[in-house]
Amino acid sequence: MATTSSSSVPPSTMATLFPNFRDQEVQSAVKNLLAYSLVILIVPLASMFLLKQYFFEALLGFASNDALTYSAIIAVILVHVVLGIWLLAATKQEDRKKRENKQD
Amino acid sequence: MSYDLETAERAAYAPFFGYMGAASAQIFTVLGAAYGTAKSAVGICSMGVMRPELIMKSVIPVIMAGIIGIYGLVVAMVLKGKVTAASQGYDLNKGFAHLAAGLTCGLCGLGAGYAIGIVGDAGVRGTAQQPRLFVGMILILIFSEVLGLYGMIVALILGTS
């Protein structure tokens, strides 16, 4: 009875936007996507400016220009590290799904 | 009367070329990144209708296009730090070097962004049908991304020498 009454309720806006949002797999994928997107947006910019100010200039005493160049190179390397972790996570998700399918 | 090369090289408008280099580094890479994002988003949206759980894999072309934009940001920041007023010893040679650096990074990024867009569109649609295509798509995307990386390396060498 409870299930029939809940199904007659008009779907919320979230349900109309994502019809299978309650699906466990889709939900974890979207959560993963949000977390990784935030990381890949913040890591390069934060590392570039923080490394320049607090590591190269304050700690090692480089000139402003050299510090900017070195921190830029490190930021680009860090972006590729995050991208590699992203790729690992994406392929691992696929493997886990395959294993669950085999168990079924 | 001979042409005075020494004075001509210390022109007042030399910083113009340096600033144009910094601007073009960012503008052209962002053009490429925007095209790559939009073109691969077309593919992602059309495959995401059927397979929304593959979103984590299919967004990778967008990330790669975003990294092209970061190349431009980095080069523009580095170049902007080097450009000074002509009265502080910024001559035409430096200005032209920075313009060359900016154009190299910008146009290489434009080309790489176009490649990422087209590869991402086709690759994401293909991965939805045949998951084993994923590794191939990633390899092609990495090779197109590296084209932009070459431009950034040359730009950093040109800009710091």
Side-chain angles (χ1 to χ4, degrees), chain B:
Chain B
M1 181 187 155
S2 67
Y3 184 58
D4 189 358
L5 209 52
E6 297 268 320
T7 319
E9 276 182 353
R10 278 185 270 109
Y13 54 82
F16 171 79
F17 294 104
Y19 284 124
M20 277 301 119
S24 57
Q26 183 70 86
I27 290 168
F28 288 120
T29 47
V30 164
L31 269 179
Y35 181 84
T37 306
K39 184 94 167 107
S40 52
V42 172
I44 293 168
C45 290
S46 72
M47 72 75 84
V49 174
M50 301 308 296
R51 308 277 304 270
E53 74 275 6
L54 280 183
I55 195 81
M56 191 72 180
K57 287 170 134 187
S58 55
V59 170
I60 285 165
V62 174
I63 304 299
M64 296 258 187
I67 289 175
I68 297 287
I70 290 177
Y71 292 162
L73 176 76
V74 160
V75 169
M77 295 292 301
V78 168
L79 289 182
K80 184 247 150 207
K82 307 247 174 217
V83 183
T84 52
S87 57
Q88 290 165 7
Y90 192 81
D91 56 11
L92 269 181
N93 183 44
K94 284 182 186 166
F96 290 152
H98 293 163
L99 180 64
L103 284 178
T104 307
C105 179
L107 295 178
C108 287
L110 183 64
Y114 261 70
I116 287 175
I118 293 167
V119 170
D121 187 16
V124 161
R125 285 171 202 261
T127 308
Q129 310 276 331
Q130 169 57 271
R132 267 181 283 177
L133 198 60
F134 180 65
V135 177
M137 178 186 85
I138 295 301
L139 277 180
I140 304 170
L141 277 175
I142 286 171
F143 276 109
S144 20
E145 157 113 24
V146 160
L147 300 179
L149 187 66
Y150 294 156
M152 193 198 75
I153 292 169
V154 171
L156 284 181
I157 292 171
L158 276 174
T160 53
S161 63

Side-chain angles (χ1 to χ4, degrees), chain A residues 21 24-37, chain B residues 55-56:
Chain A
F21 188 70
Q24 194 81 45
E25 212 169 82
V26 174
Q27 208 160 14
S28 82
V30 170
K31 262 184 205 157
N32 249 339
L33 182 73
L34 281 180
Y36 276 97
S37 308
Chain B
I55 195 81
M56 191 72 180

Side-chain angles (χ1 to χ4, degrees), chain A:
Chain A
M1 282 301 271
T3 51
T4 50
S5 69
S6 69
S7 65
S8 64
V9 172
S12 64
T13 47
M14 205 62 179
T16 50
L17 275 178
F18 303 103
N20 38 15
F21 188 70
R22 292 283 155 222
D23 188 356
Q24 194 81 45
E25 212 169 82
V26 174
Q27 208 160 14
S28 82
V30 170
K31 262 184 205 157
N32 249 339
L33 182 73
L34 281 180
Y36 276 97
S37 308
L38 273 182
V39 167
I40 211 162
L41 280 179
I42 289 168
V43 159
L45 293 177
S47 69
M48 185 165 170
F49 292 108
L50 293 182
L51 274 177
K52 174 185 182 285
Q53 195 137 22
Y54 294 110
F55 183 69
F56 284 113
E57 280 184 3
L59 217 62
L60 301 183
F62 281 25
S64 177
N65 273 342
D66 294 338
L68 196 58
T69 308
Y70 291 129
S71 60
I73 292 169
I74 291 179
V76 167
I77 291 172
L78 278 180
V79 158
H80 287 91
V81 170
V82 177
L83 183 69
I85 297 172
W86 185 309
L87 285 178
L88 268 184
T91 48
K92 208 182 279 177
Q93 209 175 21
E94 174 75 0
D95 291 347
R96 202 175 50 216
K97 212 166 56 197
K98 237 182 250 166
R99 232 176 294 134
E100 279 167 6
N101 284 350
K102 261 180 198 161
Q103 280 173 358
D104 286 346

